[in-house]
Structure formats: C-alpha cells, structure tokens
Amino acid sequence: MKTTTLKSRLILTIAGFAGLMAVAQAWNTPVQTNTAPVADQVVTVTAKRMSTEEKIAFDTQGQVPQQVVISARKLTEQEKLAFDQAHQPEVAQAYRANDPS
C-alpha cells in the first residue's frame, strides 16, 4: 500500500509541476493584439530661402577656424604615365575642362 501512495504522490507532484510550468509559460507569453495598420504620416517642412549673407553667417556661426595641411611629392615620369593610363577618362575630362581654347 505504501508503494501505491508513493507512486500516487510522485505522479501528483509531476502533474502539479507540469501544471505550474504551463501557468508560468502562459503568464510570461506576450499577448499579441491585432491592431489596424497606422496610416502613413505626412511631414511638411517649409523654410524661407536664405540670402548669401545668411548662408555665410549660418556656415560660420560658432565655428573655430580650422587649419588644413596638404602635403604631396612630385611624381616621376613613370608614375605620371601609370596614373594617366589608370584614370584615362577622368584625366581627359579634366583636360577638356581646363582647356582655354
């Protein structure tokens, strides 16, 4: 008779634990609500056109002058030829843009 009581308690304990886990899982699962899609919002930005003086004032407002250092070295003839061949369309376009004739 003790064996039956032990088995019954073991089964009830496992069933109770499984029930407790099911309730905990249901409690932690987020509820999904079916909401209607929100219509796209439209934002309109309006501003007046700035004058040249206003643009310069805006660009320089609160700015500290910055120093730019440009350093370069003279290319050898071989490097010039290699550069011209690698950038042929760009070089031709730059030449035509700077051509005074």
Side-chain angles (χ1 to χ4, degrees):
M1 191 92 174
K2 268 191 161 192
T3 308
T4 308
T5 307
L6 183 61
K7 284 182 184 179
S8 297
R9 285 187 181 192
L10 184 60
I11 291 172
L12 286 174
T13 303
I14 293 172
F17 184 75
L20 181 64
M21 292 302 293
V23 170
Q25 180 68 23
W27 185 265
N28 290 328
T29 303
V31 177
Q32 295 180 354
T33 57
N34 294 331
T35 58
V38 178
D40 292 336
Q41 296 180 356
V42 178
V43 177
T44 305
V45 177
T46 59
K48 73 176 197 84
R49 183 176 290 277
M50 289 193 289
S51 68
T52 305
E53 292 80 15
E54 290 173 322
K55 289 179 187 176
I56 293 171
F58 179 79
D59 290 341
T60 58
Q61 172 183 345
Q63 296 290 326
V64 176
Q66 296 182 1
Q67 181 178 4
V68 177
V69 177
I70 300 173
S71 64
R73 67 175 182 81
K74 190 171 184 175
L75 297 176
T76 65
E77 288 299 322
Q78 293 171 342
E79 290 172 328
K80 287 179 187 177
L81 286 173
F83 181 83
D84 289 346
Q85 289 173 355
H87 301 283
Q88 189 62 36
E90 299 158 9
V91 171
Q93 183 180 7
Y95 178 77
R96 283 192 298 271
N98 293 326
D99 189 18
S101 60

